Amino acid sequence: MQYDVDDDPRRIQPDAVWAWLSTEAYWGRQRTRADVETQIAGAWRVVGAYRTDTGEQVGFARAVSNGVTFAYLADVYVTAPHRGHGLGKRILEQMIDDGPGRDFRWVLFTGDAHGLYAEFGFETPDTTAMVRPARGSQESPASPGSGASCALGSDAQRGLPAT
């Protein structure tokens, strides 16, 4: 199967993004559809992955940024039937390496895919990083409902060493 990956916000299919984030994501399920649509519309960049033959959206990532030095990566996913084809890597390449933020400081919260993110230069934060959890939340930054953001399969599923 062949896929297109691009950063054209007009191609994003909000129904597909909402369907996945509201049922499959282990993070951010407290968001409403209106919240997700607002986040997509307000994103600095969005990247989608699409089946070439049908145009169906099968992957997504969004970023918020100050547009100068810093970006936050969020809501990264590839639907289960389309994992294992390098789409997660292609989405991240398009978002991070091939985009206007290639020299930015990037951050994300994730409970999985650490090996994949390490390929793009992500590291455990140093002592200059601090996180303020959402008010009323006792969850860790990478726990469900916290905004943690990745579903590309585990490192082991992708044949990467544990990090």
Coordinates of all heavy atoms in Angstrom, one line a residue, residues 91-131:
I91 N 5.8 10.9 9.2 CA 5.1 12.0 9.8 C 6.1 12.9 10.6 O 6.0 14.2 10.5 CB 3.9 11.5 10.7 CG1 2.8 10.9 9.8 CG2 3.4 12.6 11.6 CD1 1.8 10.2 10.6
L92 N 6.9 12.3 11.4 CA 7.9 13.1 12.2 C 8.9 13.8 11.3 O 9.2 15.0 11.6 CB 8.5 12.2 13.2 CG 7.6 11.7 14.3 CD1 8.4 10.7 15.3 CD2 7.0 12.8 15.1
E93 N 9.4 13.2 10.3 CA 10.3 13.9 9.4 C 9.6 15.1 8.8 O 10.3 16.2 8.7 CB 10.7 12.9 8.2 CG 11.7 11.9 8.7 CD 12.0 10.8 7.6 OE1 11.2 10.7 6.6 OE2 12.9 10.1 7.7
Q94 N 8.4 14.9 8.3 CA 7.7 16.1 7.7 C 7.5 17.2 8.7 O 7.7 18.4 8.5 CB 6.3 15.6 7.2 CG 5.5 16.7 6.5 CD 6.0 17.1 5.2 OE1 6.6 16.3 4.4 NE2 5.9 18.4 4.8
M95 N 7.1 16.8 9.9 CA 6.8 17.8 11.0 C 8.1 18.5 11.5 O 8.1 19.7 11.6 CB 6.1 17.1 12.2 CG 5.8 18.1 13.3 SD 4.6 19.4 12.9 CE 3.0 18.5 13.1
I96 N 9.1 17.7 11.8 CA 10.3 18.2 12.5 C 11.4 18.6 11.5 O 11.8 19.7 11.5 CB 10.7 17.2 13.6 CG1 9.6 17.0 14.6 CG2 12.0 17.7 14.2 CD1 9.9 15.9 15.6
D97 N 11.9 17.6 10.8 CA 13.1 17.8 10.0 C 12.9 18.6 8.7 O 13.7 19.3 8.2 CB 13.7 16.5 9.7 CG 14.4 15.8 10.9 OD1 14.6 16.5 11.9 OD2 14.6 14.6 10.8
D98 N 11.7 18.4 8.1 CA 11.4 19.0 6.8 C 10.6 20.3 6.9 O 10.3 20.9 5.8 CB 10.7 18.0 5.8 CG 11.6 16.8 5.5 OD1 12.8 16.9 5.7 OD2 11.0 15.8 5.1
G99 N 10.3 20.7 8.0 CA 9.5 21.9 8.2 C 10.2 23.1 8.7 O 11.5 23.1 8.9
P100 N 9.5 24.2 8.9 CA 10.2 25.4 9.3 C 10.7 25.4 10.7 O 11.5 26.3 11.1 CB 9.1 26.5 9.2 CG 7.8 25.7 9.3 CD 8.1 24.4 8.7
G101 N 10.4 24.4 11.5 CA 10.9 24.3 12.9 C 12.1 23.3 13.0 O 12.4 22.9 14.2
R102 N 12.8 23.0 12.0 CA 13.9 22.0 12.1 C 15.0 22.4 13.1 O 15.6 21.5 13.6 CB 14.5 21.7 10.7 CG 15.2 22.9 10.1 CD 15.8 22.5 8.7 NE 15.9 23.7 7.9 CZ 15.0 24.3 7.2 NH1 13.8 23.8 7.2 NH2 15.2 25.5 6.6
D103 N 15.2 23.7 13.4 CA 16.2 24.1 14.3 C 15.6 24.5 15.7 O 16.3 25.0 16.5 CB 17.0 25.3 13.7 CG 17.7 24.9 12.5 OD1 18.2 23.8 12.4 OD2 17.8 25.8 11.6
F104 N 14.3 24.3 15.9 CA 13.6 24.6 17.1 C 14.0 23.7 18.2 O 14.4 22.5 18.0 CB 12.1 24.6 17.0 CG 11.5 25.7 16.2 CD1 12.3 26.6 15.5 CD2 10.2 25.8 16.1 CE1 11.7 27.6 14.7 CE2 9.5 26.8 15.3 CZ 10.3 27.7 14.6
R105 N 13.7 24.1 19.5 CA 13.7 23.2 20.6 C 12.3 22.6 20.6 O 11.3 23.3 20.7 CB 13.9 23.9 21.9 CG 13.9 23.1 23.1 CD 14.2 23.9 24.4 NE 14.4 23.0 25.5 CZ 14.7 23.4 26.7 NH1 14.8 24.7 26.9 NH2 14.9 22.5 27.6
W106 N 12.2 21.3 20.5 CA 10.9 20.5 20.5 C 10.7 19.8 21.8 O 11.6 19.3 22.4 CB 10.9 19.5 19.4 CG 10.7 20.1 18.0 CD1 11.7 20.7 17.2 CD2 9.5 20.2 17.3 NE1 11.1 21.1 16.0 CE2 9.8 20.8 16.0 CE3 8.2 19.8 17.5 CZ2 8.9 21.0 15.1 CZ3 7.2 20.0 16.6 CH2 7.6 20.6 15.3
V107 N 9.4 19.7 22.3 CA 9.1 18.9 23.4 C 7.8 18.1 23.1 O 7.1 18.5 22.2 CB 8.8 19.8 24.7 CG1 10.1 20.6 25.1 CG2 7.7 20.8 24.5
L108 N 7.7 17.0 23.9 CA 6.5 16.2 23.8 C 6.4 15.4 25.1 O 7.3 15.3 25.8 CB 6.4 15.3 22.6 CG 7.2 14.0 22.8 CD1 6.6 12.9 22.0 CD2 8.7 14.2 22.2
F109 N 5.2 14.9 25.4 CA 5.0 14.0 26.4 C 4.5 12.7 25.8 O 3.6 12.8 24.9 CB 3.9 14.5 27.4 CG 4.4 15.7 28.2 CD1 3.9 17.0 27.8 CD2 5.2 15.6 29.3 CE1 4.4 18.1 28.4 CE2 5.6 16.7 30.0 CZ 5.2 18.0 29.5
T110 N 5.1 11.6 26.2 CA 4.6 10.3 25.6 C 4.9 9.2 26.5 O 5.8 9.2 27.3 CB 5.3 10.1 24.2 OG1 4.8 8.9 23.6 CG2 6.8 9.9 24.4
G111 N 4.0 8.2 26.4 CA 4.2 7.0 27.2 C 4.8 5.8 26.4 O 5.0 4.8 26.9
D112 N 5.1 6.1 25.2 CA 5.6 5.0 24.3 C 6.5 5.7 23.2 O 6.6 6.9 23.1 CB 4.5 4.1 23.8 CG 3.5 4.8 22.9 OD1 3.7 6.0 22.6 OD2 2.5 4.2 22.5
A113 N 7.0 4.8 22.3 CA 7.8 5.2 21.1 C 9.0 6.1 21.4 O 9.4 6.9 20.6 CB 6.9 5.9 20.1
H114 N 9.6 5.9 22.6 CA 10.8 6.6 23.0 C 11.9 6.4 22.0 O 12.6 7.4 21.6 CB 11.2 6.3 24.4 CG 10.2 6.8 25.4 ND1 9.2 5.9 25.9 CD2 10.1 8.0 26.0 CE1 8.5 6.6 26.8 NE2 9.0 7.8 26.9
G115 N 12.1 5.2 21.5 CA 13.1 4.9 20.5 C 12.9 5.7 19.2 O 13.9 6.2 18.7
L116 N 11.7 5.8 18.8 CA 11.4 6.5 17.5 C 11.8 8.0 17.8 O 12.4 8.7 16.9 CB 10.0 6.4 17.1 CG 9.5 7.2 15.9 CD1 10.3 6.8 14.7 CD2 8.0 7.1 15.7
Y117 N 11.3 8.6 18.8 CA 11.5 10.0 19.1 C 13.0 10.3 19.3 O 13.5 11.3 18.9 CB 10.7 10.5 20.3 CG 9.3 10.6 20.0 CD1 8.3 9.7 20.6 CD2 8.8 11.4 19.0 CE1 7.0 9.8 20.3 CE2 7.4 11.5 18.7 CZ 6.6 10.6 19.3 OH 5.2 10.7 19.0
A118 N 13.8 9.3 19.8 CA 15.2 9.5 20.0 C 15.9 9.7 18.6 O 16.9 10.4 18.5 CB 15.8 8.4 20.8
E119 N 15.4 9.0 17.6 CA 15.9 9.2 16.2 C 15.8 10.6 15.7 O 16.5 11.0 14.8 CB 15.2 8.3 15.3 CG 15.4 6.8 15.5 CD 14.7 5.9 14.5 OE1 14.6 6.3 13.3 OE2 14.2 4.9 14.8
F120 N 14.9 11.4 16.3 CA 14.7 12.8 15.9 C 15.3 13.7 17.0 O 15.0 14.9 17.0 CB 13.2 13.0 15.7 CG 12.7 12.3 14.5 CD1 12.2 11.1 14.6 CD2 12.8 13.0 13.2 CE1 11.8 10.4 13.4 CE2 12.3 12.3 12.1 CZ 11.9 11.0 12.2
G121 N 16.2 13.2 17.8 CA 16.9 14.1 18.7 C 16.3 14.3 20.1 O 16.8 15.0 20.9
F122 N 15.1 13.7 20.3 CA 14.5 13.9 21.7 C 15.3 13.1 22.7 O 15.8 12.0 22.5 CB 13.0 13.4 21.6 CG 12.1 14.3 20.9 CD1 11.9 14.1 19.5 CD2 11.4 15.2 21.6 CE1 11.0 15.0 18.9 CE2 10.5 16.1 20.9 CZ 10.3 15.9 19.6
E123 N 15.4 13.8 23.9 CA 16.2 13.2 25.0 C 15.4 13.4 26.3 O 14.5 14.3 26.3 CB 17.5 13.9 25.2 CG 18.4 13.8 23.9 CD 19.7 14.7 24.1 OE1 19.7 15.5 25.1 OE2 20.5 14.6 23.3
T124 N 15.7 12.7 27.3 CA 15.2 13.0 28.6 C 15.5 14.4 29.0 O 16.7 14.8 28.9 CB 15.7 12.0 29.7 OG1 15.4 10.7 29.2 CG2 15.1 12.2 31.0
P125 N 14.6 15.2 29.5 CA 14.9 16.6 29.9 C 16.0 16.7 30.9 O 16.1 15.9 31.8 CB 13.6 17.2 30.4 CG 12.6 16.1 30.2 CD 13.2 14.9 29.8
D126 N 16.7 17.8 30.8 CA 17.7 18.1 31.9 C 17.0 18.9 33.0 O 15.8 19.0 33.1 CB 18.9 18.9 31.3 CG 18.4 20.3 30.7 OD1 17.4 20.8 31.2 OD2 19.1 20.8 29.9
T127 N 17.8 19.4 33.9 CA 17.3 20.0 35.1 C 16.7 21.4 34.9 O 16.1 21.9 35.8 CB 18.4 20.1 36.2 OG1 19.5 20.9 35.7 CG2 18.9 18.7 36.6
T128 N 16.8 21.9 33.7 CA 16.1 23.2 33.4 C 14.6 23.0 33.0 O 13.9 24.0 32.9 CB 16.8 23.9 32.2 OG1 16.6 23.1 31.0 CG2 18.3 24.1 32.5
A129 N 14.2 21.8 32.9 CA 12.8 21.5 32.5 C 11.9 21.3 33.7 O 12.3 20.5 34.6 CB 12.7 20.4 31.5
M130 N 10.8 21.9 33.7 CA 9.8 21.6 34.7 C 8.4 21.5 34.1 O 8.2 22.1 33.0 CB 9.8 22.8 35.8 CG 11.0 22.9 36.5 SD 11.0 24.3 37.7 CE 9.9 23.7 38.9
V131 N 7.5 20.8 34.7 CA 6.2 20.6 34.1 C 5.1 20.9 35.2 O 5.3 20.4 36.3 CB 6.0 19.2 33.6 CG1 4.5 19.0 33.2 CG2 6.9 18.9 32.5

